[in-house]
Every structure is written in C-alpha cells, then in structure tokens.
Amino acid sequence: MTQTALITGASNGIGLEFAKIHAQKGGNVVLVARSEDKLAQLAQELESQYNVKVWVIAQDLAQPNAAQTIFETTEAQGITVDILINNAGVGEYGLFIEQDLQDKHNLIQINMTSLTDLTYLYLKGMVACKQGKILNVSSTAGFVPIPTQAIYSSSKAYVTTFSQAIAEEVRESGVTVTALCPGAVATGFVEAGNLQGSSAWKNAQSAKSVAECGYQAMMRGELVAFNEGKLKFMFNWIMPFMPRSFILKMTKQAMAK
Ligand SMILES: NC(=O)C1=CN([C@@H]2O[C@H](COP(=O)(O)OP(=O)(O)OC[C@H]3O[C@@H](n4cnc5c(N)ncnc54)[C@H](OP(=O)(O)O)[C@@H]3O)[C@@H](O)[C@H]2O)C=CC1
Ligand SMILES: N[C@@H](C=O)C(=O)O
C-alpha cells in the first residue's frame, strides 16, 4: 500500500532529502515549509520522476495555529498521513541575554510547540489505525548544554525526551516514534542560525547521508538514532560520565568562531 509521508522543512536540507527518499520508494509526500515556490518546484520534480502524488502546504511553523491548519488541510483533502517527519527546525548563536526574545519564542514554537502539536494531531489517528511512524528530528545538541545555543540545545533535549516517552506510550499500538540526533550537517541551517565559522561544523556530514540514516532508523522503529557510530558511543557512553563543568567548557569551545 502506498504510504503518505508528511515532511516539515521539506524545501531545503535534510527535509528535502527525506522527501526524495520517500518518493523514490514510491511513497506519496506532503511537503511543508514556508517557501511555496520551492515546494511547488520540488513537487513537480518528484511527481514526474517517481510517479507519486505530492501535496504542498506552505505554512510558517512559528505561527501558533500552523499545526492545526496543516492538519485541517490534510483532513479536508482526504489525505491519510502514514508517516510524520517533524524535521523543520532553526538554530541560533549568541549569548542568551543578547538575543532577540521574539526570535527565541519563534525557535521554541518551531522546534518544540509546532512539533508537539503535529505529533498530537497525527499520532491519534495512527494509534486508531494501529499503524504509523513518526520521526522527530532532534540533535546531538540535545544531549548537552551548549553556551551560545542555550535555547536550541534545550529544545532538542525536549524533542529527544518527548519522542522516547510517547514511543513507549504507544509501543503496543503498532505505531513507532523515533528521535534522530544528527551531529553537524552541511545545510543552510548553519548560515540561517548565524553559526558559520564555528569549528563544530568543520567535519559536517551531508544532508543526504543523514536523511538516509534517519529514514532507515524510522522504518526499523528505533527509539533514538545517530547518523554516526562515534556520536552514538560518545553521547551514550562517554558524555554521561564526564563532569558537567568539563562538558560546558568543551561545548563552549566547540562553538567558538
Ligand atoms: N544542520 C545541522 O547541523 C543540524 C540540523 N539538525 C536539525 O535538522 C533539522 C533540519 O535542519 P537542516 O535541514 O539542517 O536545516 P535547513 O535550514 O537546511 O532546512 C530547514 C528547513 O526548515 C524549514 N523552516 C525553517 N523555518 C521554518 C518555519 N518558520 N516554518 C516552516 N518551515 C521552516 C525551511 O524551509 P523554509 O525556509 O522554506 O520555511 C527548511 O526547509 C532541524 O530540526 C535541525 O535542528 C540537527 C542536527 C544538526
Ligand atoms: N548539532 C548541531 C545541530 O543541531 C548544533 O549543535 O547546532
């Protein structure tokens, strides 16, 4: 049966690669982002190249009602979402007290609240049908506090913890929830988050490789997935045993420009 995947942040980066992967496997796709022209272009390419159905929903996930609007749109068009990939997210760089508070509210809305709302709205139907998969794109940043990314790293800690908790809640239902925790990835995220020049991205991975890893982990129903084995080892078996003060110095240095 052809499965439909709703992918947020599908106009660029990792989300764009998720859309290509799912379409290549014969899946229908609902593309969500703000850039309607880019999404329309991608929709046309995917439909002609893979003979799948593609819908475009242009929505700003920084808006409080975005998730409800997206859900109402798919409901109105009779679209059953079998796979939800909450990928959209924005980064940041700078001292907390020097940040624009509205920008931080937007980050919290995009990275946490809209992700939560979309999960709530679509997970209910998946549980009712006893099938479905959710992939929440988090980050290794969620495992440690990061000076200059205080709210971003906290938002990803939320995504990783939230995803595991609801995965257990629905474990008997036939629905799986996966948190994908990439390290540095070479996408527009870096410039958009004013992160260029930070040494943390010197060995950034490709969006394609991260999406392939995340998609496979989602299909296997993994709880928490890393795109590199060394990251999995470091964040599961090394970092938890390090002194907090040392971790803070290390993350602060990694972000230095
Ligand atoms: N790049 C990295 O180093 C890492 C990224 N991640 C996570 O991966 C995910 C994808 O990031 P990545 O692909 O790298 O970043 P990109 O900046 O390349 O892509 C971000 C996507 O999110 C969309 N987006 C941004 N703001 C909004 C908004 N307000 N409303 C709707 N959509 C929005 C953008 O589309 P548009 O502008 O058209 O709205 C774009 O499609 C994020 O959750 C990020 O936190 C995790 C670890 C590392
Ligand atoms: N890992 C990067 C993306 O989440 C970061 O720390 O910003």
Side-chain angles (χ1 to χ4, degrees), residues 30 50 59 76 86-87 89-90 113 142 150 163 190 199-200 214 218 224 243:
V30 182
Y50 302 114
Q59 270 296 318
N86 282 310
N87 164 77
V90 292
T113 310
S163 301
V190 177
S199 58
M218 173 188 70
V224 177

Side-chain angles (χ1 to χ4, degrees), residues 138-141 146 149 152 156 182-185 189 195 201 255:
S138 186
S139 168
T140 52
I146 304 180
Q149 285 192 311
Y152 176 76
K156 293 305 185 178
V185 191
F189 174 90
L195 291 153
W201 273 265
M255 294 305 297

